[in-house]
């Protein structure tokens, strides 16, 4: 049975990747941060299944700033594949907490690489790199050869980590790959990312639970795909015979306003009376024209995104509606 270790297993991508690997017959281990509030909600359905948890799925406490524990876990588990997804992933927040963002996202990755370098049988490594490394790029769409030009502390930390993965591959012969992931969303997206925030608000307004939606820049444009397509890309990257970097993107740009229009249309609402601007959500710097060219992934991995932008936003909004409808029908305290 192949064995995988996932850092960031509790996140959107970590939870979908866990399901994909379990379906493919893997034994899955996950690294979870020891924090005071338990955050396992995306894995609850697996954690509460005695056929799975403790049989083929195992969680281990550990953190990216604790190399001794990381090393112990890697030596004990001896994974065949390591999917490194953990880190502070909110771009706006990285302007508020740049040092801890770099500590986790940049130095955390370097620590993993340093440990891997000493292992007798290092696992194959997938590093979740980000389109934010391109910031304000020289060309659009971007591909694997586009120079890095980050404009946020998060993008800069990811650029460092991405380059380190390449350096360790080339210098020490590790099977280490970067997947340069453009934005990818799903019903499991964190609530402080713009798609989920919008879909939630449209559904809550429809049900009369909320009255307005406060947003920053509506003109910001992104290449938005479905997280379930992107975790498949992660797995395919490590099944390829050669360790290489890949861009994963849809190649389509949409604005924040497009997300708003699609979500409110799904709820049969006119968005304009409800959406308000709030300067707190405007960032000190925004990337420009981040849109990816995934031709290499299409050619070598046969990877293609399957879900369209409007399908994704509609699905997220409808699921939010069902979730809120159930919650709001429960009596208080239930
Ligand atoms: O949803 P966002 O916060 O995603 P962002 O900044 O593009 O970052 C995401 O994608 C990256 C690329 O894959 C990842 F590396 C990163 O970890 C993360 O997953 O913001 C999208 C856009 C931005 O232009 C932002 O300024 O939405 C704009 N926006 C407008 N109002 C807002 C809001 N973003 C947030 N989070 N909240 C708002 O109220």
């Amino acid at each position: 049975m192949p064995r995988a270790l996932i850092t960031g297993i509790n996140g959107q991508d970590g939870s979908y990747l866990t399901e994909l690997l379990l379906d493919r017959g893997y034994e899955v281990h996950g690294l979870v941060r020891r924090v005071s509030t338990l955050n396992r909600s995306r894995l609850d359905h697996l954690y509460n299944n005695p056929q799975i948890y403790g049989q083929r799925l195992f969680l281990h406490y550990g953190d990216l700033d604790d190399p001794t524990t990381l090393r112990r876990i890697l030596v004990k588990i001896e994974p065949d594949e390591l999917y490194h997804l953990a880190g502070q992933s909110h771009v706006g927040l990285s302007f508020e907490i740049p040092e801890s963002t770099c500590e986790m996202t940049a130095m955390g990755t370097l620590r993993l690489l340093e440990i891997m370098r000493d292992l007798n049988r290092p696992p194959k490594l997938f590093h979740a790199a980000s389109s934010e490394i391109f910031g304000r790029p020289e060309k659009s769409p971007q591909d694997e050869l586009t120079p890095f030009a980050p404009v946020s502390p998060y993008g800069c930390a990811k650029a460092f980590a991405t380059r380190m993965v390449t350096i360790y591959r080339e210098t020490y012969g590790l099977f280490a790959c970067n997947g340069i992931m453009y934005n990818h969303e799903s019903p499991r997206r964190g609530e402080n990312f713009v798609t989920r925030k919008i879909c939630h608000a449209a559904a809550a307004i429809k049900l009369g639970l909320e009255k307005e939606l406060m947003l920053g820049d509506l003109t910001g444009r992104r290449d938005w795909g479905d997280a379930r397509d992107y975790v498949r890309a992660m797995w395919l990257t490590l099944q390829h015979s050669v360790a290489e970097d890949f861009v994963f993107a849809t190649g389509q740009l949409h604005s924040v306003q497009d997300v708003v229009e699609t979500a409110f249309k799904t709820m049969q609402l006119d968005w304009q009376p409800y959406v308000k601007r709030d300067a707190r959500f405007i960032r000190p710097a925004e990337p420009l024209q981040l849109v990816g060219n995934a031709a290499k992934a299409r050619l070598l991995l046969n990877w293609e995104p399957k879900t369209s932008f409007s399908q994704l936003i509609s699905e997220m909004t409808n699921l939010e509606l069902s979730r809120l409808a159930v919650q709001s029908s429960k009596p208080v305290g239930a």
Side-chain angles (χ1 to χ4, degrees):
M1 193 188 289
R3 200 174 302 137
L5 173 64
I6 304 174
T7 75
I9 194 167
N10 284 331
Q12 165 190 259
D13 295 358
S15 65
Y16 285 125
L17 181 63
T18 301
E19 288 169 0
L20 179 147
L21 294 174
L22 288 171
D23 278 353
R24 286 181 154 80
Y26 280 68
E27 179 179 301
V28 180
H29 294 256
L31 193 69
V32 289
R33 297 185 76 187
R34 186 79 181 90
V35 283
S36 49
T37 48
L38 198 62
N39 177 15
R40 217 178 33 216
S41 56
R42 296 183 181 97
L43 292 174
D44 271 350
H45 59 299
L46 301 172
Y47 188 82
N48 294 325
N49 182 341
Q51 310 283 312
I52 293 186
Y53 192 71
Q55 304 293 324
R56 291 178 53 218
L57 173 64
F58 304 86
L59 299 180
H60 308 265
Y61 283 121
D63 219 332
L64 293 175
D65 61 3
D66 179 357
T68 307
T69 309
L70 284 178
R71 184 182 300 273
R72 192 176 295 132
I73 292 170
L74 273 157
V75 166
K76 185 173 155 211
I77 295 171
E78 288 194 87
D80 303 293
E81 298 174 6
L82 169 57
Y83 294 88
H84 176 36
L85 317 181
Q88 194 297 98
S89 64
H90 197 280
V91 178
L93 197 58
S94 78
F95 288 96
E96 310 286 325
I97 51 164
E99 290 183 40
S100 60
T101 300
C102 291
E103 188 52 48
M104 289 296 164
T105 301
M107 288 305 295
T109 306
L110 177 56
R111 285 188 196 106
L112 270 184
L113 289 164
E114 274 290 273
I115 296 169
M116 279 180 63
R117 192 180 143 193
D118 291 339
L119 294 176
N120 292 330
R121 200 180 66 87
K124 293 181 177 180
L125 172 73
F126 176 88
H127 169 238
S130 161
S131 56
E132 282 285 318
I133 63 174
F134 297 130
R136 300 215 168 134
E138 277 174 11
K139 65 168 189 174
S140 282
Q142 299 84 46
D143 60 26
E144 293 78 6
L145 301 176
T146 304
F148 300 172
V151 293
S152 64
Y154 170 85
C156 198
K158 277 286 182 195
F160 173 94
T162 305
R163 198 69 210 149
M164 280 296 177
V165 168
T166 310
I167 290 170
Y168 274 63
R169 176 173 72 223
E170 291 175 353
T171 310
Y172 303 114
L174 292 178
F175 193 109
C177 312
N178 291 299
I180 305 173
M181 319 296 272
Y182 283 65
N183 296 48
H184 45 283
E185 318 295 310
S186 77
R188 293 187 195 168
R189 189 55 146 147
E191 283 169 15
N192 55 351
F193 293 92
V194 83
T195 54
R196 177 81 191 279
K197 183 174 169 179
I198 293 168
C199 297
H200 169 91
I205 290 169
K206 178 75 181 175
L207 291 173
L209 300 172
E210 287 176 22
K211 291 191 167 47
E212 57 186 16
L213 165 60
M214 310 302 283
L215 287 174
D217 183 9
L218 291 191
T219 65
R221 298 201 300 161
R222 291 289 186 280
D223 178 332
W224 272 295
D226 184 327
R228 291 152 287 193
D229 287 331
Y230 288 65
V231 301
R232 191 163 37 83
M234 295 174 185
W235 179 75
L236 285 170
T237 301
L238 294 193
Q239 310 318 304
H240 188 51
S241 54
V242 185
E244 292 188 54
D245 298 339
F246 291 95
V247 160
F248 295 108
T250 68
Q252 309 286 320
L253 269 178
H254 290 276
S255 66
V256 174
Q257 186 169 319
D258 292 338
V259 180
V260 171
E261 284 174 10
T262 310
F264 278 75
K265 192 169 162 216
T266 305
M267 295 292 99
Q268 294 154 327
L269 289 172
D270 173 13
W271 64 276
Q272 293 185 10
Y274 302 106
V275 175
K276 307 264 161 21
R277 296 294 187 81
D278 187 331
R280 284 179 303 156
F281 300 114
I282 296 189
R283 297 177 184 172
E286 276 282 347
L288 286 177
Q289 286 288 112
L290 288 187
V291 55
N293 173 1
K296 181 180 170 188
R298 205 160 32 243
L299 183 72
L300 297 183
L301 305 180
N302 198 20
W303 179 83
E304 227 158 355
K306 289 181 180 160
T307 317
S308 73
F309 170 81
S310 55
Q311 277 172 336
L312 175 65
I313 300 301
S314 293
E315 182 203 356
M316 286 173 68
T317 314
N318 281 324
L319 268 170
E320 208 66 50
L321 185 75
S322 318
R323 213 181 267 169
L324 287 171
V326 170
Q327 277 170 18
S328 60
S329 68
K330 278 188 190 156
V332 179

